[in-house]
């Protein structure tokens, strides 16, 4: 096994020499396996990935006592292979519905800004948002730390990972560390493009990739690069009434940003229905139909969108390509 499970090892050691060994293992860098086309993983120097930090982060990610009452964990809304939710709006711990569709956390380490409006600067800071949001976990990070800090495995892992008792500093850094390990890029499309395996895609999927990257559909105008996103914000004309959610303008307060949302990754997109910030499109067929219209006319509509026509076969091919972006292994590398 690549990494030991620290806690069970901890129970077996007593004397101080063994404790030094434990600390040495805990401090070892956690090496994330990167798929063929992946850029280097951005990890802040102030919060390096170690065996102990990612193990603690994973435990906290699945911990329902982060919420009040203790009914939802981070994983309740971001779960499974693709770390997204399957409903348009997730239900928070007090039974309320959120106002946006829970996105996949695949490749979240590469995101420059978080949330669909880009309102959050980094993963550490992001952890505070769901814990304190009344519609999500409805809790308080200091209360959570008090509740968990004297309990194993939290007590030992917190000391091993950060040399201090579990508190807001530790919780935010540990969960962010675990999230950075969720790297996606193990799909047949990756094998085709980055590992030179021409047989990895069927003829239909290959044709779908050509349609996706064609000037007519211009999908790659926004869904570009390893993670299929330009990391920019666009109004794709889903609606003309943005009173429920102004998108990027909520943060910038600039009217030219009304209705703009961050271009999402398309990795594992076959698994992450329903689609869009509000979960308003149920299937990939509906998504393609939407883009084919060019979007509803309005001041901020992206000039990169143009109406296009596909035959039924071409549409099926494009969707087959999107299905080839599904990873064929679990994104979770933390034992
Ligand atoms: C009740 C459901 C729910 C819970 C619980 C929840 N989230 Fe989320 N999460 C969401 C929704 C909805 C969004 C989209 C918010 C937005 O863009 O404004 C989101 C967005 C995110 C993002 C930003 C992703 C991106 O691409 O910008 C991260 C990271 C994240 N959540 C991590 C977490 C972590 C860590 C926890 C636990 C501490 C957590 N979430 C708990 C629903 C939830
Ligand atoms: C002008 C930039 C732009 C172009 C061109 C574009 N997209 Fe998007 N796409 C976006 C944005 C922005 C969103 C998110 C909108 C929202 O959340 O409301 C999105 C969302 C999606 C989603 C939903 C993802 C999810 O997780 O909810 C899919 C699937 C998708 N696009 C596929 C395509 C395909 C296929 C094409 C070409 C036919 C295309 N896009 C062209 C910007 C673009």
């Amino acid at each position: 096994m690549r990494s030991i499970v620290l806690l069970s090892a901890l129970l077996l050691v007593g004397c101080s020499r063994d404790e030094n060994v434990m600390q040495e293992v805990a401090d070892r860098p956690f090496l994330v396996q990167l798929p063929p086309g992946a850029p280097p993983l951005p990890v802040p120097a102030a919060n390096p990935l170690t065996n102990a930090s990612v193990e603690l982060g994973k435990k906290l990610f699945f911990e329902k006592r982060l919420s009040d009452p203790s009914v939802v964990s981070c994983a309740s809304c971001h779960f499974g292979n693709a770390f997204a939710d399957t409903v348009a709006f997730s239900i928070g711990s007090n039974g309320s519905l959120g106002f946006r569709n829970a996105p996949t956390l695949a490749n979240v380490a590469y995101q420059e800004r978080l949330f669909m409006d880009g309102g959050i600067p980094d993963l550490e800071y992001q952890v505070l948002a769901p814990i304190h949001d009344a519609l999500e976990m409805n809790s308080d990070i200091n209360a959570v730390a008090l509740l968990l800090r004297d309990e194993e495995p939290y007590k030992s892992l917190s000391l091993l990972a950060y040399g201090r008792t579990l508190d807001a500093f530790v919780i935010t850094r540990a969960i962010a560390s675990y999230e950075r390990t969720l790297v996606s890029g193990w799909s047949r499309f990756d094998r085709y493009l980055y590992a030179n395996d021409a047989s990895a895609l069927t003829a239909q999927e290959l044709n779908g990739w050509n349609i996706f990257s064609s000037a007519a559909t211009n999908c790659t105008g926004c869904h570009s690069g390893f993670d299929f996103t330009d990391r920019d914000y666009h109004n794709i004309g889903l609606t003309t009434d943005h009173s429920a959610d102004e998108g990027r303008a909520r943060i910038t307060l600039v009217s030219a940003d009304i209705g703009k949302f961050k271009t999402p990754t398309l990795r594992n997109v076959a698994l992450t229905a329903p689609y869009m910030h509000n979960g308003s499109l149920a299937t990939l067929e509906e998504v393609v139909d939407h883009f084919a219209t060019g979007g509803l006319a309005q001041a901020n509509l992206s000039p990169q969108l143009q109406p296009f026509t596909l035959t039924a076969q071409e549409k099926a091919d494009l969707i087959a390509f999107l299905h080839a972006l599904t990873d064929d292994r679990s994104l979770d590398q933390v034992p």
Side-chain angles (χ1 to χ4, degrees), residues 79-326:
F79 68 94
N81 211 22
F83 288 83
D85 208 347
T86 47
V87 292
F89 300 117
S90 312
I91 300 172
S93 61
N94 65 8
S96 340
L97 287 183
F99 89 117
R100 285 183 180 156
N101 180 242
T104 177
L105 299 185
N107 288 342
V108 76
Y110 296 101
Q111 296 269 15
E112 285 159 6
R113 300 200 52 99
L114 300 156
F115 284 178
M116 299 168 191
D117 49 32
I120 304 254
D122 61 47
L123 280 174
E124 283 77 3
Y125 184 79
Q126 191 281 330
V127 172
L128 294 169
I131 294 181
H132 286 257
D133 187 336
L135 302 180
E136 295 188 350
M137 302 177 109
N138 187 42
S139 190
D140 175 284
I141 195 164
N142 294 313
V144 167
L146 278 176
L147 185 68
L148 302 177
R149 71 178 187 188
D150 294 326
E151 194 179 296
E152 293 298 358
Y154 295 118
K155 193 175 170 192
S156 303
L157 282 177
S158 180
L159 284 170
L160 282 169
Y162 295 98
R164 57 198 280 168
T165 318
L166 192 81
D167 58 6
F169 178 99
V170 173
I171 293 172
T172 53
R173 279 159 185 78
I175 293 181
S177 292
Y178 173 62
E179 293 177 285
R180 289 194 175 96
T181 67
L182 302 172
V183 176
S184 163
W186 316 95
S187 70
R188 286 187 294 104
F189 176 73
D190 293 289
R191 286 208 292 285
Y192 166 80
L193 195 68
Y194 299 112
N196 299 318
D197 179 356
S199 66
L201 292 186
T202 65
Q204 180 180 31
E205 291 158 349
L206 197 55
N207 194 42
W209 165 232
N210 290 333
I211 294 167
F212 184 82
S213 47
S214 68
T217 64
N218 193 32
C219 306
T220 44
C222 301
H223 297 283
S224 54
F226 172 74
D227 208 19
F228 296 93
T229 164
D230 57 1
R231 313 228 176 269
D232 208 347
Y233 307 84
H234 306 274
N235 179 325
I236 61 164
L238 278 175
T239 169
T240 51
D241 177 5
H242 299 286
S243 53
D245 189 346
E246 293 200 324
R248 182 71 177 145
R250 289 180 82 220
I251 307 304
T252 62
L253 308 179
V254 171
S255 64
D257 286 337
I258 292 175
K260 291 188 181 172
F261 292 88
K262 188 169 68 181
T263 309
T265 179
L266 296 183
R267 292 198 162 275
N268 296 300
V269 72
L271 305 177
T272 62
Y275 302 107
M276 306 303 173
H277 68 277
N278 53 6
S280 59
L281 301 183
T283 61
L284 290 172
E285 283 78 3
E286 288 179 25
V287 171
V288 173
D289 289 344
H290 166 73
F291 282 110
T293 67
L296 294 171
Q298 58 197 288
N300 297 338
L301 182 66
S302 168
Q304 286 164 279
L305 294 177
Q306 298 297 334
F308 58 82
T309 313
L310 296 179
T311 64
Q313 183 62 53
E314 287 167 336
K315 184 175 159 187
D317 294 356
L318 176 55
I319 290 167
F321 157 71
L322 294 171
H323 278 256
L325 301 180
T326 302

